[in-house]
Amino acid sequence: MSGKNKRCRGLIVPMSAMAETSGPSSRCKMIAEALQREEMDIATCMAEDVNFRSIDGINNYYLDIPMPLGLPAFIAMRVFPIAQKTGITSRKRVDSFDQVLFMTGNLNYKYLRKSVSSVRKAIRNHRADFVYSEFNISACIAAKKENVPLYCTVSFPTQHEYAHRSKYAKGLNKLLKEMQLPRVDSALQVFDWTDKSFCPSIRKFEPIDKENIYYCGALRENVASVMDKAARNKIVVYMGNGTISAKRMLKVIREAFKDSEHEVYIASSYLKKEDCGKLHVAPRWDFNKLLDEAVLFINHGGQNSMVDGLLHGVPQIVVPGKVFERKYNAACIMDNHAGMVIRQNNFNARIVRETAERIISNDKMYSVAKKIGNEFRDAGGLQTIICEYIIAENVSGCSD
């Protein structure tokens, strides 16, 4: 890499939420570290919410935390954690990504005004040559106003054409009018302002027919080699938020596998740390290690979870609940015979145990999961796709 590239400066901005949603922040970390290895000067503008993790050697600029539904902070900080723990949020049907942005407060007019200002300030202070938005709508607006190249992560079910609700764009359009930017029919159209978009998937899973879409496959690097099925002895469980309440999840999993020969590992920030016989609970685990030793992965259908399971050749039980994107991912797993789906209302100990036994005894599901995982791994990843395209466009004209 030439010395000229060392002066290229990028700002990465992940979506923020009070809810546990590790996807944007974890992808932000992987992208930031990959670009830093290419000797680019990378910073983040990341809200210090429940998903925040500092990244070694990378400066983070301030970003406001959105409050659910735009509620006052003193109310949201007290009410929302209770709603998460008791499962109230899991009862809400979510049909489009702009509904997610609205519910998390990311489309609230007052929040947008503050957060766009924060990102614009970060762009100027870092002297950014480009902005990378990890589903952060404020970053897209800020990049447009600061006239710097914009890159985004994209997925099939978050497209305006897939599903949208125009009513959620009211506050956004108010701000766009004030900033003399074009009105949108839905908030999701703002992501079409990008110069290039990167899909962390493969085309047969997410067929997006637009220009400037580049398929990266798996962003995660250095995934351990897949162990033989006979050497695996763990069941890994991660449900994120908004699908099954943590309390219900723990009760069902405990009962389903109380006499299982497998070690069971549950990750949840809403549960207390516990080691009871073969049941282990903690806020987070090293999934790279656990999944390579797992015979089954039970998850909520988040994109990162789905891909991580496939990379390690682990068949999955997916419980997507009422969330559109998770239902789409669950259908991909089911249709490609890499696992099975359990409806939210059927999430009980008997069905979980019976489904788990059917999957564990099915060698074909393991071979399919491994095959698809290899397709994700071979699709390019960070170094050969994202870094190549971003660097190629920013080699000339970077800041001194």
mmCIF file with all atom_site columns, all heavy atoms in Angstrom, residues 116 120 137-138 140-147 172-184 190 193:
data_model
loop_
_atom_site.group_PDB
_atom_site.id
_atom_site.type_symbol
_atom_site.label_atom_id
_atom_site.label_alt_id
_atom_site.label_comp_id
_atom_site.label_asym_id
_atom_site.label_entity_id
_atom_site.label_seq_id
_atom_site.pdbx_PDB_ins_code
_atom_site.Cartn_x
_atom_site.Cartn_y
_atom_site.Cartn_z
_atom_site.occupancy
_atom_site.B_iso_or_equiv
_atom_site.pdbx_formal_charge
_atom_site.auth_seq_id
_atom_site.auth_comp_id
_atom_site.auth_asym_id
_atom_site.auth_atom_id
_atom_site.pdbx_PDB_model_num
ATOM 1   N N   . VAL A 1 116 ? -27.874 14.186 12.811 1.00 0.00 ? 116 VAL A N   1
ATOM 2   C CA  . VAL A 1 116 ? -27.262 14.643 11.560 1.00 0.00 ? 116 VAL A CA  1
ATOM 3   C C   . VAL A 1 116 ? -26.200 15.695 11.868 1.00 0.00 ? 116 VAL A C   1
ATOM 4   O O   . VAL A 1 116 ? -25.106 15.686 11.290 1.00 0.00 ? 116 VAL A O   1
ATOM 5   C CB  . VAL A 1 116 ? -28.329 15.199 10.595 1.00 0.00 ? 116 VAL A CB  1
ATOM 6   C CG1 . VAL A 1 116 ? -27.662 15.921 9.424  1.00 0.00 ? 116 VAL A CG1 1
ATOM 7   C CG2 . VAL A 1 116 ? -29.218 14.077 10.088 1.00 0.00 ? 116 VAL A CG2 1
ATOM 8   N N   . ARG A 1 120 ? -22.234 15.352 10.948 1.00 0.00 ? 120 ARG A N   1
ATOM 9   C CA  . ARG A 1 120 ? -21.587 16.393 10.144 1.00 0.00 ? 120 ARG A CA  1
ATOM 10  C C   . ARG A 1 120 ? -20.378 16.960 10.871 1.00 0.00 ? 120 ARG A C   1
ATOM 11  O O   . ARG A 1 120 ? -19.317 17.212 10.264 1.00 0.00 ? 120 ARG A O   1
ATOM 12  C CB  . ARG A 1 120 ? -22.578 17.509 9.805  1.00 0.00 ? 120 ARG A CB  1
ATOM 13  C CG  . ARG A 1 120 ? -23.708 17.076 8.895  1.00 0.00 ? 120 ARG A CG  1
ATOM 14  C CD  . ARG A 1 120 ? -24.605 18.244 8.516  1.00 0.00 ? 120 ARG A CD  1
ATOM 15  N NE  . ARG A 1 120 ? -23.931 19.121 7.561  1.00 0.00 ? 120 ARG A NE  1
ATOM 16  C CZ  . ARG A 1 120 ? -24.503 20.200 7.033  1.00 0.00 ? 120 ARG A CZ  1
ATOM 17  N NH1 . ARG A 1 120 ? -25.754 20.534 7.396  1.00 0.00 ? 120 ARG A NH1 1
ATOM 18  N NH2 . ARG A 1 120 ? -23.860 20.945 6.161  1.00 0.00 ? 120 ARG A NH2 1
ATOM 19  N N   . ILE A 1 137 ? -29.352 6.250  9.013  1.00 0.00 ? 137 ILE A N   1
ATOM 20  C CA  . ILE A 1 137 ? -29.960 7.184  8.071  1.00 0.00 ? 137 ILE A CA  1
ATOM 21  C C   . ILE A 1 137 ? -29.408 8.599  8.240  1.00 0.00 ? 137 ILE A C   1
ATOM 22  O O   . ILE A 1 137 ? -29.270 9.356  7.276  1.00 0.00 ? 137 ILE A O   1
ATOM 23  C CB  . ILE A 1 137 ? -31.503 7.155  8.229  1.00 0.00 ? 137 ILE A CB  1
ATOM 24  C CG1 . ILE A 1 137 ? -32.162 7.699  6.960  1.00 0.00 ? 137 ILE A CG1 1
ATOM 25  C CG2 . ILE A 1 137 ? -31.961 7.907  9.458  1.00 0.00 ? 137 ILE A CG2 1
ATOM 26  C CD1 . ILE A 1 137 ? -33.610 7.286  6.849  1.00 0.00 ? 137 ILE A CD1 1
ATOM 27  N N   . SER A 1 138 ? -29.041 8.960  9.471  1.00 0.00 ? 138 SER A N   1
ATOM 28  C CA  . SER A 1 138 ? -28.467 10.287 9.717  1.00 0.00 ? 138 SER A CA  1
ATOM 29  C C   . SER A 1 138 ? -27.132 10.442 9.004  1.00 0.00 ? 138 SER A C   1
ATOM 30  O O   . SER A 1 138 ? -26.798 11.528 8.521  1.00 0.00 ? 138 SER A O   1
ATOM 31  C CB  . SER A 1 138 ? -28.291 10.509 11.223 1.00 0.00 ? 138 SER A CB  1
ATOM 32  O OG  . SER A 1 138 ? -29.529 10.424 11.891 1.00 0.00 ? 138 SER A OG  1
ATOM 33  N N   . CYS A 1 140 ? -26.286 9.090  6.175  1.00 0.00 ? 140 CYS A N   1
ATOM 34  C CA  . CYS A 1 140 ? -26.551 9.312  4.752  1.00 0.00 ? 140 CYS A CA  1
ATOM 35  C C   . CYS A 1 140 ? -26.861 10.776 4.477  1.00 0.00 ? 140 CYS A C   1
ATOM 36  O O   . CYS A 1 140 ? -26.367 11.364 3.501  1.00 0.00 ? 140 CYS A O   1
ATOM 37  C CB  . CYS A 1 140 ? -27.711 8.433  4.285  1.00 0.00 ? 140 CYS A CB  1
ATOM 38  S SG  . CYS A 1 140 ? -27.427 6.656  4.449  1.00 0.00 ? 140 CYS A SG  1
ATOM 39  N N   . ILE A 1 141 ? -27.677 11.359 5.329  1.00 0.00 ? 141 ILE A N   1
ATOM 40  C CA  . ILE A 1 141 ? -28.048 12.769 5.160  1.00 0.00 ? 141 ILE A CA  1
ATOM 41  C C   . ILE A 1 141 ? -26.828 13.662 5.359  1.00 0.00 ? 141 ILE A C   1
ATOM 42  O O   . ILE A 1 141 ? -26.588 14.606 4.591  1.00 0.00 ? 141 ILE A O   1
ATOM 43  C CB  . ILE A 1 141 ? -29.170 13.146 6.149  1.00 0.00 ? 141 ILE A CB  1
ATOM 44  C CG1 . ILE A 1 141 ? -30.425 12.309 5.875  1.00 0.00 ? 141 ILE A CG1 1
ATOM 45  C CG2 . ILE A 1 141 ? -29.484 14.638 6.069  1.00 0.00 ? 141 ILE A CG2 1
ATOM 46  C CD1 . ILE A 1 141 ? -31.493 12.436 6.947  1.00 0.00 ? 141 ILE A CD1 1
ATOM 47  N N   . ALA A 1 142 ? -26.038 13.361 6.389  1.00 0.00 ? 142 ALA A N   1
ATOM 48  C CA  . ALA A 1 142 ? -24.852 14.165 6.691  1.00 0.00 ? 142 ALA A CA  1
ATOM 49  C C   . ALA A 1 142 ? -23.850 14.112 5.542  1.00 0.00 ? 142 ALA A C   1
ATOM 50  O O   . ALA A 1 142 ? -23.270 15.138 5.156  1.00 0.00 ? 142 ALA A O   1
ATOM 51  C CB  . ALA A 1 142 ? -24.206 13.675 7.987  1.00 0.00 ? 142 ALA A CB  1
ATOM 52  N N   . ALA A 1 143 ? -23.633 12.912 4.987  1.00 0.00 ? 143 ALA A N   1
ATOM 53  C CA  . ALA A 1 143 ? -22.693 12.773 3.876  1.00 0.00 ? 143 ALA A CA  1
ATOM 54  C C   . ALA A 1 143 ? -23.162 13.575 2.659  1.00 0.00 ? 143 ALA A C   1
ATOM 55  O O   . ALA A 1 143 ? -22.360 14.198 1.959  1.00 0.00 ? 143 ALA A O   1
ATOM 56  C CB  . ALA A 1 143 ? -22.535 11.300 3.511  1.00 0.00 ? 143 ALA A CB  1
ATOM 57  N N   . LYS A 1 144 ? -24.470 13.551 2.431  1.00 0.00 ? 144 LYS A N   1
ATOM 58  C CA  . LYS A 1 144 ? -25.041 14.294 1.306  1.00 0.00 ? 144 LYS A CA  1
ATOM 59  C C   . LYS A 1 144 ? -24.789 15.793 1.474  1.00 0.00 ? 144 LYS A C   1
ATOM 60  O O   . LYS A 1 144 ? -24.375 16.478 0.521  1.00 0.00 ? 144 LYS A O   1
ATOM 61  C CB  . LYS A 1 144 ? -26.543 14.012 1.232  1.00 0.00 ? 144 LYS A CB  1
ATOM 62  C CG  . LYS A 1 144 ? -27.220 14.514 -0.032 1.00 0.00 ? 144 LYS A CG  1
ATOM 63  C CD  . LYS A 1 144 ? -26.916 13.608 -1.201 1.00 0.00 ? 144 LYS A CD  1
ATOM 64  C CE  . LYS A 1 144 ? -27.806 13.925 -2.389 1.00 0.00 ? 144 LYS A CE  1
ATOM 65  N NZ  . LYS A 1 144 ? -27.481 13.087 -3.568 1.00 0.00 ? 144 LYS A NZ  1
ATOM 66  N N   . LYS A 1 145 ? -25.032 16.302 2.675  1.00 0.00 ? 145 LYS A N   1
ATOM 67  C CA  . LYS A 1 145 ? -24.860 17.729 2.920  1.00 0.00 ? 145 LYS A CA  1
ATOM 68  C C   . LYS A 1 145 ? -23.393 18.143 2.930  1.00 0.00 ? 145 LYS A C   1
ATOM 69  O O   . LYS A 1 145 ? -23.057 19.260 2.558  1.00 0.00 ? 145 LYS A O   1
ATOM 70  C CB  . LYS A 1 145 ? -25.519 18.122 4.245  1.00 0.00 ? 145 LYS A CB  1
ATOM 71  C CG  . LYS A 1 145 ? -27.025 18.075 4.216  1.00 0.00 ? 145 LYS A CG  1
ATOM 72  C CD  . LYS A 1 145 ? -27.624 19.002 3.170  1.00 0.00 ? 145 LYS A CD  1
ATOM 73  C CE  . LYS A 1 145 ? -27.374 20.467 3.445  1.00 0.00 ? 145 LYS A CE  1
ATOM 74  N NZ  . LYS A 1 145 ? -28.028 21.355 2.428  1.00 0.00 ? 145 LYS A NZ  1
ATOM 75  N N   . GLU A 1 146 ? -22.509 17.230 3.363  1.00 0.00 ? 146 GLU A N   1
ATOM 76  C CA  . GLU A 1 146 ? -21.081 17.550 3.407  1.00 0.00 ? 146 GLU A CA  1
ATOM 77  C C   . GLU A 1 146 ? -20.386 17.228 2.081  1.00 0.00 ? 146 GLU A C   1
ATOM 78  O O   . GLU A 1 146 ? -19.181 17.446 1.932  1.00 0.00 ? 146 GLU A O   1
ATOM 79  C CB  . GLU A 1 146 ? -20.403 16.796 4.547  1.00 0.00 ? 146 GLU A CB  1
ATOM 80  C CG  . GLU A 1 146 ? -20.855 17.222 5.933  1.00 0.00 ? 146 GLU A CG  1
ATOM 81  C CD  . GLU A 1 146 ? -20.534 18.679 6.231  1.00 0.00 ? 146 GLU A CD  1
ATOM 82  O OE1 . GLU A 1 146 ? -19.407 19.107 5.906  1.00 0.00 ? 146 GLU A OE1 1
ATOM 83  O OE2 . GLU A 1 146 ? -21.407 19.390 6.772  1.00 0.00 ? 146 GLU A OE2 1
ATOM 84  N N   . ASN A 1 147 ? -21.153 16.674 1.149  1.00 0.00 ? 147 ASN A N   1
ATOM 85  C CA  . ASN A 1 147 ? -20.647 16.392 -0.194 1.00 0.00 ? 147 ASN A CA  1
ATOM 86  C C   . ASN A 1 147 ? -19.431 15.471 -0.178 1.00 0.00 ? 147 ASN A C   1
ATOM 87  O O   . ASN A 1 147 ? -18.419 15.735 -0.833 1.00 0.00 ? 147 ASN A O   1
ATOM 88  C CB  . ASN A 1 147 ? -20.312 17.704 -0.919 1.00 0.00 ? 147 ASN A CB  1
ATOM 89  C CG  . ASN A 1 147 ? -20.156 17.507 -2.427 1.00 0.00 ? 147 ASN A CG  1
ATOM 90  O OD1 . ASN A 1 147 ? -20.804 16.630 -3.014 1.00 0.00 ? 147 ASN A OD1 1
ATOM 91  N ND2 . ASN A 1 147 ? -19.302 18.308 -3.045 1.00 0.00 ? 147 ASN A ND2 1
ATOM 92  N N   . LEU A 1 172 ? -38.858 12.798 8.973  1.00 0.00 ? 172 LEU A N   1
ATOM 93  C CA  . LEU A 1 172 ? -37.705 12.822 8.080  1.00 0.00 ? 172 LEU A CA  1
ATOM 94  C C   . LEU A 1 172 ? -37.904 13.843 6.966  1.00 0.00 ? 172 LEU A C   1
ATOM 95  O O   . LEU A 1 172 ? -37.002 14.648 6.675  1.00 0.00 ? 172 LEU A O   1
ATOM 96  C CB  . LEU A 1 172 ? -37.487 11.429 7.483  1.00 0.00 ? 172 LEU A CB  1
ATOM 97  C CG  . LEU A 1 172 ? -36.473 11.330 6.345  1.00 0.00 ? 172 LEU A CG  1
ATOM 98  C CD1 . LEU A 1 172 ? -35.086 11.731 6.808  1.00 0.00 ? 172 LEU A CD1 1
ATOM 99  C CD2 . LEU A 1 172 ? -36.473 9.921  5.765  1.00 0.00 ? 172 LEU A CD2 1
ATOM 100 N N   . ASN A 1 173 ? -39.064 13.840 6.337  1.00 0.00 ? 173 ASN A N   1
ATOM 101 C CA  . ASN A 1 173 ? -39.316 14.782 5.244  1.00 0.00 ? 173 ASN A CA  1
ATOM 102 C C   . ASN A 1 173 ? -39.333 16.228 5.716  1.00 0.00 ? 173 ASN A C   1
ATOM 103 O O   . ASN A 1 173 ? -38.949 17.131 4.974  1.00 0.00 ? 173 ASN A O   1
ATOM 104 C CB  . ASN A 1 173 ? -40.624 14.430 4.534  1.00 0.00 ? 173 ASN A CB  1
ATOM 105 C CG  . ASN A 1 173 ? -40.437 13.345 3.488  1.00 0.00 ? 173 ASN A CG  1
ATOM 106 O OD1 . ASN A 1 173 ? -39.447 13.338 2.772  1.00 0.00 ? 173 ASN A OD1 1
ATOM 107 N ND2 . ASN A 1 173 ? -41.376 12.418 3.421  1.00 0.00 ? 173 ASN A ND2 1
ATOM 108 N N   . LYS A 1 174 ? -39.735 16.426 6.943  1.00 0.00 ? 174 LYS A N   1
ATOM 109 C CA  . LYS A 1 174 ? -39.678 17.778 7.510  1.00 0.00 ? 174 LYS A CA  1
ATOM 110 C C   . LYS A 1 174 ? -38.229 18.257 7.561  1.00 0.00 ? 174 LYS A C   1
ATOM 111 O O   . LYS A 1 174 ? -37.916 19.396 7.176  1.00 0.00 ? 174 LYS A O   1
ATOM 112 C CB  . LYS A 1 174 ? -40.290 17.790 8.910  1.00 0.00 ? 174 LYS A CB  1
ATOM 113 C CG  . LYS A 1 174 ? -40.251 19.157 9.587  1.00 0.00 ? 174 LYS A CG  1
ATOM 114 C CD  . LYS A 1 174 ? -40.884 19.098 10.984 1.00 0.00 ? 174 LYS A CD  1
ATOM 115 C CE  . LYS A 1 174 ? -40.804 20.463 11.672 1.00 0.00 ? 174 LYS A CE  1
ATOM 116 N NZ  . LYS A 1 174 ? -41.397 20.415 13.050 1.00 0.00 ? 174 LYS A NZ  1
ATOM 117 N N   . LEU A 1 175 ? -37.346 17.375 8.019  1.00 0.00 ? 175 LEU A N   1
ATOM 118 C CA  . LEU A 1 175 ? -35.935 17.741 8.084  1.00 0.00 ? 175 LEU A CA  1
ATOM 119 C C   . LEU A 1 175 ? -35.340 17.907 6.690  1.00 0.00 ? 175 LEU A C   1
ATOM 120 O O   . LEU A 1 175 ? -34.588 18.852 6.432  1.00 0.00 ? 175 LEU A O   1
ATOM 121 C CB  . LEU A 1 175 ? -35.149 16.675 8.854  1.00 0.00 ? 175 LEU A CB  1
ATOM 122 C CG  . LEU A 1 175 ? -33.648 16.966 8.995  1.00 0.00 ? 175 LEU A CG  1
ATOM 123 C CD1 . LEU A 1 175 ? -33.423 18.103 9.978  1.00 0.00 ? 175 LEU A CD1 1
ATOM 124 C CD2 . LEU A 1 175 ? -32.894 15.721 9.440  1.00 0.00 ? 175 LEU A CD2 1
ATOM 125 N N   . LEU A 1 176 ? -35.674 17.006 5.764  1.00 0.00 ? 176 LEU A N   1
ATOM 126 C CA  . LEU A 1 176 ? -35.132 17.085 4.407  1.00 0.00 ? 176 LEU A CA  1
ATOM 127 C C   . LEU A 1 176 ? -35.542 18.398 3.733  1.00 0.00 ? 176 LEU A C   1
ATOM 128 O O   . LEU A 1 176 ? -34.746 19.012 3.008  1.00 0.00 ? 176 LEU A O   1
ATOM 129 C CB  . LEU A 1 176 ? -35.618 15.892 3.575  1.00 0.00 ? 176 LEU A CB  1
ATOM 130 C CG  . LEU A 1 176 ? -35.112 14.507 4.012  1.00 0.00 ? 176 LEU A CG  1
ATOM 131 C CD1 . LEU A 1 176 ? -35.688 13.423 3.107  1.00 0.00 ? 176 LEU A CD1 1
ATOM 132 C CD2 . LEU A 1 176 ? -33.589 14.449 4.013  1.00 0.00 ? 176 LEU A CD2 1
ATOM 133 N N   . LYS A 1 177 ? -36.760 18.817 3.970  1.00 0.00 ? 177 LYS A N   1
ATOM 134 C CA  . LYS A 1 177 ? -37.223 20.082 3.404  1.00 0.00 ? 177 LYS A CA  1
ATOM 135 C C   . LYS A 1 177 ? -36.404 21.240 3.952  1.00 0.00 ? 177 LYS A C   1
ATOM 136 O O   . LYS A 1 177 ? -35.984 22.136 3.202  1.00 0.00 ? 177 LYS A O   1
ATOM 137 C CB  . LYS A 1 177 ? -38.708 20.276 3.709  1.00 0.00 ? 177 LYS A CB  1
ATOM 138 C CG  . LYS A 1 177 ? -39.288 21.564 3.122  1.00 0.00 ? 177 LYS A CG  1
ATOM 139 C CD  . LYS A 1 177 ? -40.780 21.684 3.419  1.00 0.00 ? 177 LYS A CD  1
ATOM 140 C CE  . LYS A 1 177 ? -41.359 22.960 2.814  1.00 0.00 ? 177 LYS A CE  1
ATOM 141 N NZ  . LYS A 1 177 ? -42.817 23.096 3.120  1.00 0.00 ? 177 LYS A NZ  1
ATOM 142 N N   . GLU A 1 178 ? -36.169 21.228 5.266  1.00 0.00 ? 178 GLU A N   1
ATOM 143 C CA  . GLU A 1 178 ? -35.380 22.282 5.901  1.00 0.00 ? 178 GLU A CA  1
ATOM 144 C C   . GLU A 1 178 ? -33.948 22.313 5.365  1.00 0.00 ? 178 GLU A C   1
ATOM 145 O O   . GLU A 1 178 ? -33.341 23.376 5.253  1.00 0.00 ? 178 GLU A O   1
ATOM 146 C CB  . GLU A 1 178 ? -35.356 22.081 7.410  1.00 0.00 ? 178 GLU A CB  1
ATOM 147 C CG  . GLU A 1 178 ? -36.689 22.301 8.097  1.00 0.00 ? 178 GLU A CG  1
ATOM 148 C CD  . GLU A 1 178 ? -36.654 21.968 9.574  1.00 0.00 ? 178 GLU A CD  1
ATOM 149 O OE1 . GLU A 1 178 ? -35.591 21.513 10.054 1.00 0.00 ? 178 GLU A OE1 1
ATOM 150 O OE2 . GLU A 1 178 ? -37.683 22.159 10.248 1.00 0.00 ? 178 GLU A OE2 1
ATOM 151 N N   . MET A 1 179 ? -33.432 21.129 5.025  1.00 0.00 ? 179 MET A N   1
ATOM 152 C CA  . MET A 1 179 ? -32.054 21.025 4.552  1.00 0.00 ? 179 MET A CA  1
ATOM 153 C C   . MET A 1 179 ? -31.966 21.101 3.029  1.00 0.00 ? 179 MET A C   1
ATOM 154 O O   . MET A 1 179 ? -30.902 20.887 2.455  1.00 0.00 ? 179 MET A O   1
ATOM 155 C CB  . MET A 1 179 ? -31.424 19.728 5.064  1.00 0.00 ? 179 MET A CB  1
ATOM 156 C CG  . MET A 1 179 ? -31.420 19.610 6.578  1.00 0.00 ? 179 MET A CG  1
ATOM 157 S SD  . MET A 1 179 ? -30.524 18.162 7.195  1.00 0.00 ? 179 MET A SD  1
ATOM 158 C CE  . MET A 1 179 ? -28.848 18.753 7.030  1.00 0.00 ? 179 MET A CE  1
ATOM 159 N N   . GLN A 1 180 ? -33.095 21.376 2.394  1.00 0.00 ? 180 GLN A N   1
ATOM 160 C CA  . GLN A 1 180 ? -33.165 21.518 0.931  1.00 0.00 ? 180 GLN A CA  1
ATOM 161 C C   . GLN A 1 180 ? -32.688 20.248 0.219  1.00 0.00 ? 180 GLN A C   1
ATOM 162 O O   . GLN A 1 180 ? -31.953 20.309 -0.772 1.00 0.00 ? 180 GLN A O   1
ATOM 163 C CB  . GLN A 1 180 ? -32.353 22.753 0.478  1.00 0.00 ? 180 GLN A CB  1
ATOM 164 C CG  . GLN A 1 180 ? -32.892 24.060 1.033  1.00 0.00 ? 180 GLN A CG  1
ATOM 165 C CD  . GLN A 1 180 ? -32.100 25.264 0.542  1.00 0.00 ? 180 GLN A CD  1
ATOM 166 O OE1 . GLN A 1 180 ? -30.880 25.244 0.525  1.00 0.00 ? 180 GLN A OE1 1
ATOM 167 N NE2 . GLN A 1 180 ? -32.824 26.317 0.153  1.00 0.00 ? 180 GLN A NE2 1
ATOM 168 N N   . LEU A 1 181 ? -33.151 19.126 0.739  1.00 0.00 ? 181 LEU A N   1
ATOM 169 C CA  . LEU A 1 181 ? -32.886 17.834 0.129  1.00 0.00 ? 181 LEU A CA  1
ATOM 170 C C   . LEU A 1 181 ? -34.197 17.255 -0.382 1.00 0.00 ? 181 LEU A C   1
ATOM 171 O O   . LEU A 1 181 ? -35.274 17.621 0.103  1.00 0.00 ? 181 LEU A O   1
ATOM 172 C CB  . LEU A 1 181 ? -32.250 16.880 1.154  1.00 0.00 ? 181 LEU A CB  1
ATOM 173 C CG  . LEU A 1 181 ? -30.819 17.221 1.582  1.00 0.00 ? 181 LEU A CG  1
ATOM 174 C CD1 . LEU A 1 181 ? -30.370 16.342 2.733  1.00 0.00 ? 181 LEU A CD1 1
ATOM 175 C CD2 . LEU A 1 181 ? -29.864 17.091 0.394  1.00 0.00 ? 181 LEU A CD2 1
ATOM 176 N N   . PRO A 1 182 ? -34.151 16.357 -1.373 1.00 0.00 ? 182 PRO A N   1
ATOM 177 C CA  . PRO A 1 182 ? -35.394 15.854 -1.972 1.00 0.00 ? 182 PRO A CA  1
ATOM 178 C C   . PRO A 1 182 ? -36.247 15.049 -1.008 1.00 0.00 ? 182 PRO A C   1
ATOM 179 O O   . PRO A 1 182 ? -35.742 14.289 -0.171 1.00 0.00 ? 182 PRO A O   1
ATOM 180 C CB  . PRO A 1 182 ? -34.895 14.984 -3.135 1.00 0.00 ? 182 PRO A CB  1
ATOM 181 C CG  . PRO A 1 182 ? -33.486 14.643 -2.781 1.00 0.00 ? 182 PRO A CG  1
ATOM 182 C CD  . PRO A 1 182 ? -32.955 15.817 -2.032 1.00 0.00 ? 182 PRO A CD  1
ATOM 183 N N   . ARG A 1 183 ? -37.541 15.210 -1.127 1.00 0.00 ? 183 ARG A N   1
ATOM 184 C CA  . ARG A 1 183 ? -38.502 14.454 -0.336 1.00 0.00 ? 183 ARG A CA  1
ATOM 185 C C   . ARG A 1 183 ? -38.445 12.980 -0.725 1.00 0.00 ? 183 ARG A C   1
ATOM 186 O O   . ARG A 1 183 ? -38.128 12.636 -1.855 1.00 0.00 ? 183 ARG A O   1
ATOM 187 C CB  . ARG A 1 183 ? -39.913 14.999 -0.573 1.00 0.00 ? 183 ARG A CB  1
ATOM 188 C CG  . ARG A 1 183 ? -40.998 14.360 0.273  1.00 0.00 ? 183 ARG A CG  1
ATOM 189 C CD  . ARG A 1 183 ? -42.365 14.898 -0.118 1.00 0.00 ? 183 ARG A CD  1
ATOM 190 N NE  . ARG A 1 183 ? -43.393 14.351 0.743  1.00 0.00 ? 183 ARG A NE  1
ATOM 191 C CZ  . ARG A 1 183 ? -43.917 13.136 0.615  1.00 0.00 ? 183 ARG A CZ  1
ATOM 192 N NH1 . ARG A 1 183 ? -43.509 12.351 -0.373 1.00 0.00 ? 183 ARG A NH1 1
ATOM 193 N NH2 . ARG A 1 183 ? -44.857 12.719 1.442  1.00 0.00 ? 183 ARG A NH2 1
ATOM 194 N N   . VAL A 1 184 ? -38.761 12.089 0.225  1.00 0.00 ? 184 VAL A N   1
ATOM 195 C CA  . VAL A 1 184 ? -38.770 10.651 -0.048 1.00 0.00 ? 184 VAL A CA  1
ATOM 196 C C   . VAL A 1 184 ? -40.145 10.069 0.265  1.00 0.00 ? 184 VAL A C   1
ATOM 197 O O   . VAL A 1 184 ? -40.887 10.603 1.094  1.00 0.00 ? 184 VAL A O   1
ATOM 198 C CB  . VAL A 1 184 ? -37.697 9.911  0.777  1.00 0.00 ? 184 VAL A CB  1
ATOM 199 C CG1 . VAL A 1 184 ? -36.294 10.309 0.335  1.00 0.00 ? 184 VAL A CG1 1
ATOM 200 C CG2 . VAL A 1 184 ? -37.890 10.163 2.279  1.00 0.00 ? 184 VAL A CG2 1
ATOM 201 N N   . VAL A 1 190 ? -33.625 6.831  1.295  1.00 0.00 ? 190 VAL A N   1
ATOM 202 C CA  . VAL A 1 190 ? -32.402 7.581  1.595  1.00 0.00 ? 190 VAL A CA  1
ATOM 203 C C   . VAL A 1 190 ? -31.170 6.700  1.393  1.00 0.00 ? 190 VAL A C   1
ATOM 204 O O   . VAL A 1 190 ? -30.120 7.167  0.964  1.00 0.00 ? 190 VAL A O   1
ATOM 205 C CB  . VAL A 1 190 ? -32.442 8.132  3.045  1.00 0.00 ? 190 VAL A CB  1
ATOM 206 C CG1 . VAL A 1 190 ? -31.093 8.727  3.441  1.00 0.00 ? 190 VAL A CG1 1
ATOM 207 C CG2 . VAL A 1 190 ? -33.537 9.188  3.163  1.00 0.00 ? 190 VAL A CG2 1
ATOM 208 N N   . TRP A 1 193 ? -29.225 6.776  -1.857 1.00 0.00 ? 193 TRP A N   1
ATOM 209 C CA  . TRP A 1 193 ? -28.335 7.889  -2.190 1.00 0.00 ? 193 TRP A CA  1
ATOM 210 C C   . TRP A 1 193 ? -26.873 7.442  -2.250 1.00 0.00 ? 193 TRP A C   1
ATOM 211 O O   . TRP A 1 193 ? -26.003 8.201  -2.642 1.00 0.00 ? 193 TRP A O   1
ATOM 212 C CB  . TRP A 1 193 ? -28.461 8.993  -1.144 1.00 0.00 ? 193 TRP A CB  1
ATOM 213 C CG  . TRP A 1 193 ? -29.795 9.670  -1.107 1.00 0.00 ? 193 TRP A CG  1
ATOM 214 C CD1 . TRP A 1 193 ? -30.838 9.510  -1.970 1.00 0.00 ? 193 TRP A CD1 1
ATOM 215 C CD2 . TRP A 1 193 ? -30.230 10.633 -0.145 1.00 0.00 ? 193 TRP A CD2 1
ATOM 216 N NE1 . TRP A 1 193 ? -31.898 10.306 -1.609 1.00 0.00 ? 193 TRP A NE1 1
ATOM 217 C CE2 . TRP A 1 193 ? -31.555 11.013 -0.484 1.00 0.00 ? 193 TRP A CE2 1
ATOM 218 C CE3 . TRP A 1 193 ? -29.653 11.218 0.974  1.00 0.00 ? 193 TRP A CE3 1
ATOM 219 C CZ2 . TRP A 1 193 ? -32.280 11.939 0.251  1.00 0.00 ? 193 TRP A CZ2 1
ATOM 220 C CZ3 . TRP A 1 193 ? -30.364 12.143 1.718  1.00 0.00 ? 193 TRP A CZ3 1
ATOM 221 C CH2 . TRP A 1 193 ? -31.679 12.497 1.352  1.00 0.00 ? 193 TRP A CH2 1
#
